[in-house]
Amino acid sequence: MTVGPLSSDLVNYLICRYLQESGHEDAAVQLQRDMDRANPQNLPAAHQIPAHNLVTLLQKGLLYRQLENLVEQAWRKANPNSIYSIEEPVEKETIVALKKELITNGLGNVNGDVLGNGVSGADSDPMDIDQNGHSPAIPNHSTSADALANHNHMAGVESQLSALQFIPLPVTNGPNVGSQVDKVLELGKRETTLLRLQHNHVLHCAWNPLHPSLLATAGTGALGRIWNISRAQTSSPNAELSASANDLYSPIKESVVTTAAWNARGDSLAIALRDYPRANINRATIWSRKGYAMHDLPILGDPILCFKWNPSGSLLLALAGNGSQSNITVWKTVDGAIIDSVTLGGALEDAAWVRDGEFLVCGGQLLQAYRIDAAGNISLSVNCSVPSDDDLWSVKFDPLTGIAATATHGRKILIWSGGLLLKSIDAHTDDITALEWQPVPNPNTIHAETPRLLASASQDGMVHIWNGRNPWQCIHTLNIGLHFPVLAISFSPDGFLIAAASYRKLLIWKALEGGLPKASWDAGSLGYGQWAMPGEITSDSDDTFAVQHCLSWDADGMKLAYGLQNRIALIDFRG
């Protein structure tokens, strides 16, 4: 394996991997956020580095140093009146004479001090902790005199190292707990850039998953816009944000963008447009991140309620409906052609991909799994039995555990696996408003004991963090404030933070730790009239969308976009 020179980025990545593999995900993510790189997994050598690599390198380095010291001690013993130099090869006869003594006494018992640092080799092993109390085994065989004679290249040492059996560091489970309680960071006017949309209501906002400067917004009046958010070129870390917009549609007062979604690569944005005066006119378009129309998708008769990209971005799923029946349609994104569609009775409300060719849909008394075969045909694979008193509106799938979580139009979360209902949880004291799994950028860091976090939010003002491993305990209850409903929640892309928003307030917590918020934002800090509550909108606005809202983190986890009514707050968070 060739990884090039040991750069500071690579060292930081190795430390990050060590923390992840030791169960200290919190500390690992904090280090990653402090690094210059948004995603260290993109380092050229990252995919070549095996598990426990930092510990292996440290063990090899310590043992290399140990053998180096032993050779020096042996040479000094044979040449007490000479000055030792690593540049000067050891005489072959001297090495041959000392070889038996080294093997007889053991490599760790020459003059006691094996490291040259005052630590006795007889009493202590510098890797006691990492080796769980066991010293590495060193084979008891003869060392080649010809190899040892060339001390300058340490060939004999290399042969010893190649035969060692390294014991990986035992995994311990975090999270890290600091000795100090951080002060809550108050975010206000200085950290906020406010975008006003005049007579439009913003219904959707989503940062590009890979490009932290691109923000897509959509809403009423045919609002479809890609913003380029930049920071002034200055040495000040608090430089203000500036925004320029690229409008995708011409303003049409009676039209509404019903859904918008980026694909995982961030190079395509799917948007659906509904013309309300002409209910049968619905448009769906795939745009490039630069704002060019790539594909106009075939028109569906009913308005599109949601878009879902499959993990590879090769397929785009849409749910459309009119309340009495629903349609599932899947397009090929390479050319925008429909591969198949399915019509069902009732109202579907949400969908989630299980893998590239499998997905779930839910709505009311229905939760079903579908497969797409090689010919592109959609077929029903599992029809789940939903309890008669539960009415589903949201489904979220976790590929790491194979578990699907569904939320009801009420207070329950239903947990499913393999089509079977595992558990019904009375999650809140009021209606559930949001349900999200914690994202995991690097699945290789997840162990069987690592908590899988599921967050649920409610009109009761609470965010509950659940451990998705059995027995489904609520490990944290996060309170946004008395009498304030939680309208939206969003995990940062690295899964380290979770944000929750109400009408005028936004709080940010460390997802795994809970407790006190890490930061808070209050619209009151912007000044009078800068942020409107429902009922404070102008007379020419439509009350239908007065409480629609959206919340999204940028790709670096440094900025939040919070949309409510005709305003979008860009909140600069670099904590």
Side-chain angles (χ1 to χ4, degrees):
M1 177 182 72
T2 303
V3 297
L6 198 61
S7 65
S8 59
D9 278 341
L10 188 55
V11 171
N12 286 334
Y13 175 74
L14 289 172
I15 296 171
C16 216
R17 280 281 299 271
Y18 163 76
L19 291 169
Q20 290 171 337
E21 292 160 354
S22 301
H24 300 297
E25 289 87 357
D26 189 5
V29 172
Q30 184 64 62
L31 174 59
Q32 179 177 321
R33 293 171 69 86
D34 290 340
M35 291 169 62
D36 245 349
R37 291 178 174 266
N39 186 5
Q41 295 295 331
N42 293 332
L43 283 168
H47 68 283
Q48 303 179 50
I49 297 175
H52 307 294
N53 195 250
L54 178 62
V55 174
T56 301
L57 286 175
L58 289 173
Q59 288 174 325
K60 284 186 176 182
L62 288 170
L63 290 169
Y64 191 99
R65 177 62 176 156
Q66 177 178 337
L67 292 172
E68 198 174 45
N69 274 280
L70 288 172
V71 170
E72 179 180 347
Q73 291 168 23
W75 192 92
R76 290 185 185 281
K77 184 175 181 179
N79 303 274
N81 298 320
S82 302
I83 298 176
Y84 176 78
S85 170
I86 195 169
E87 303 295 334
E88 183 178 334
V90 182
E91 292 291 335
K92 180 177 178 179
E93 291 78 9
T94 303
I95 293 299
V96 171
L98 291 172
K99 182 175 61 175
K100 292 182 180 179
E101 182 179 348
L102 285 170
I103 295 172
T104 302
N105 293 339
L107 291 175
N109 291 308
V110 180
N111 294 334
D113 183 2
V114 299
L115 293 178
N117 59 4
V119 179
S120 171
D123 299 327
S124 175
D125 178 0
M127 294 295 285
D128 273 345
I129 296 175
D130 290 334
Q131 297 162 16
N132 202 20
H134 300 288
S135 297
I138 299 178
N140 186 12
H141 58 74
S142 296
T143 305
S144 168
D146 291 333
L148 281 176
N150 188 1
H151 182 217
N152 191 42
H153 292 90
M154 293 296 289
V157 174
E158 292 290 357
S159 67
Q160 293 277 4
L161 286 173
S162 65
L164 297 177
Q165 300 297 317
F166 296 105
I167 304 170
L169 178 72
V171 173
T172 59
N173 289 315
N176 287 356
V177 179
S179 58
Q180 296 180 343
V181 177
D182 294 333
K183 182 181 177 181
V184 178
L185 179 64
E186 300 291 341
L187 305 174
K189 187 174 182 179
R190 182 178 179 182
E191 293 81 18
T192 305
T193 301
L194 206 58
L195 306 179
R196 291 182 177 84
L197 305 178
Q198 295 185 351
H199 305 309
N200 301 105
H201 275 80
V202 58
L203 307 180
H204 311 279
C205 61
W207 289 97
N208 186 291
L210 292 185
H211 303 278
S213 63
L214 299 181
L215 173 69
T217 59
T220 62
L223 172 65
R225 186 173 293 170
I226 297 177
W227 299 84
N228 195 317
I229 312 297
S230 59
R231 196 179 304 280
Q233 297 298 313
T234 173
S235 58
S236 171
N238 296 314
E240 292 186 359
L241 298 174
S242 61
S244 59
N246 183 2
D247 285 322
L248 306 180
Y249 299 106
S250 299
I252 306 172
K253 185 176 182 181
E254 297 84 2
S255 296
V256 173
V257 172
T258 56
T259 187
W262 291 102
N263 67 355
R265 296 191 303 271
D267 55 18
S268 299
L269 175 69
I271 290 183
L273 184 69
R274 179 184 183 186
D275 190 339
Y276 270 90
R278 296 173 293 173
N280 63 335
I281 302 299
N282 301 284
R283 291 182 60 187
T285 307
I286 297 178
W287 301 84
S288 73
R289 63 182 173 88
K290 295 183 178 180
Y292 301 111
M294 299 167 63
H295 301 295
D296 277 322
L297 305 178
I299 295 174
L300 301 180
D302 293 322
I304 296 173
L305 307 175
C306 74
F307 278 135
K308 302 289 181 178
W309 295 84
N310 72 343
S312 68
S314 61
L315 300 175
L316 177 64
L317 181 151
L319 297 184
N322 56 21
S324 61
Q325 73 173 20
S326 298
N327 180 271
I328 306 168
T329 303
V330 177
W331 290 278
K332 289 190 298 183
T333 58
V334 66
D335 57 9
I338 294 177
I339 66 167
D340 201 2
S341 63
V342 175
T343 300
L344 302 171
L348 293 178
E349 298 192 54
D350 199 11
W353 286 93
V354 175
R355 53 185 63 87
D356 262 356
E358 295 181 36
F359 60 87
L360 301 168
V361 295
C362 82
Q365 293 288 299
L366 185 143
L367 176 63
Q368 293 180 338
Y370 287 86
R371 284 197 179 97
I372 304 173
D373 62 23
N377 300 312
I378 300 174
S379 61
L380 177 67
S381 57
V382 179
N383 187 14
C384 302
S385 179
V386 179
S388 59
D389 58 343
D390 291 324
D391 186 20
L392 306 182
W393 70 271
S394 177
V395 58
K396 306 296 179 183
F397 181 77
D398 177 34
L400 295 178
T401 59
I403 289 174
T406 58
T408 69
H409 281 290
R411 308 171 182 182
K412 290 184 182 179
I413 299 173
L414 305 183
I415 305 302
W416 307 82
S417 181
L420 300 176
L421 179 60
L422 300 182
K423 195 173 184 65
S424 176
I425 304 171
D426 290 317
H428 290 271
T429 60
D430 208 332
D431 289 351
I432 295 173
T433 57
L435 192 66
E436 294 290 341
W437 286 100
Q438 179 193 38
V440 179
N442 183 6
N444 294 328
T445 64
I446 300 298
H447 311 291
E449 299 81 10
T450 303
R452 282 302 294 125
L453 302 187
L454 176 73
S456 62
S458 168
Q459 291 185 12
D460 61 13
M462 301 292 182
V463 177
H464 291 325
I465 306 293
W466 309 85
N467 183 0
R469 311 281 188 186
N470 286 331
W472 282 91
Q473 297 172 324
C474 178
I475 59 176
H476 298 303
T477 295
L478 313 175
N479 191 343
I480 202 168
L482 201 59
H483 308 304
F484 286 98
V486 181
L487 301 180
I489 57 174
S490 181
F491 281 101
S492 58
D494 54 20
F496 182 58
L497 302 171
I498 182 170
S502 187
Y503 294 122
R504 299 178 62 88
K505 190 175 184 180
L506 186 146
L507 296 177
I508 301 170
W509 291 269
K510 292 181 180 178
L512 194 58
E513 290 186 10
L516 291 175
K518 184 176 177 63
S520 69
W521 176 85
D522 194 307
S525 65
L526 305 181
Y528 178 76
Q530 297 299 304
W531 191 260
M533 289 280 286
E536 298 174 358
I537 54 178
T538 58
S539 59
D540 58 350
S541 296
D542 187 352
D543 285 341
T544 305
F545 305 104
V547 295
Q548 293 287 333
H549 48 270
C550 53
L551 182 66
S552 177
W553 285 92
D554 75 339
D556 289 342
M558 299 296 181
K559 297 187 293 293
L560 274 162
Y562 180 43
L564 182 66
Q565 298 184 28
N566 63 344
R567 293 167 172 83
I568 303 170
L570 304 180
I571 304 167
D572 197 6
F573 172 76
R574 283 172 285 171

